[in-house]
Amino acid sequence: MRIPGRSRTGTEPVTARSPLGLRLLLSVLYTPVFLAGTVFFALWAADSGPGDSPSAGSLRTIAWICAVLTVVGLIDLVVVLVRRRREREGSVGGGGRRGP
């Protein structure tokens, strides 16, 4: 699809697509890892005392980072599954649904 007034500047193919299989694999593998990290660091932060090292604040920060990465992984998993389903419906059904 060509956007009027814009020319291509890169060398990528016109039909370049994201590797959905790899994205699916990475999302399935790492989303549970980050979820476990979120729980682990949150519980560790709740159990740490005022003089402990690492501090409770540091552990909470790591827990929040893991939580954000969990959400990103879940969003990517949903996006990949929707795209794969749309591609499958388009190739099996013949026409598939396209934009307006």
Side-chain angles (χ1 to χ4, degrees):
M1 178 172 136
R2 184 155 160 67
I3 300 173
R6 297 194 64 169
S7 62
R8 290 174 29 110
T9 58
T11 59
E12 73 280 352
V14 176
T15 58
R17 296 180 0 175
S18 175
L20 295 179
L22 179 61
R23 284 177 57 190
L24 179 65
L25 177 68
L26 290 174
S27 292
V28 167
L29 289 176
Y30 285 105
T31 299
V33 170
F34 288 126
L35 180 62
T38 301
V39 172
F40 174 74
F41 288 115
L43 291 175
W44 189 5
D47 191 44
S48 67
D52 290 347
S53 180
S55 68
S58 299
L59 294 170
R60 277 193 298 271
T61 301
I62 296 170
W64 275 108
I65 291 169
C66 287
V68 168
L69 291 171
T70 301
V71 171
V72 169
L74 285 173
I75 291 170
D76 192 46
L77 184 62
V78 169
V79 167
V80 168
L81 291 175
V82 168
R83 284 187 186 175
R84 286 173 57 114
R85 182 173 40 109
R86 190 179 330 140
E87 285 180 2
R88 198 171 298 124
E89 287 174 357
S91 65
V92 172
R97 291 186 313 197
R98 297 285 177 179

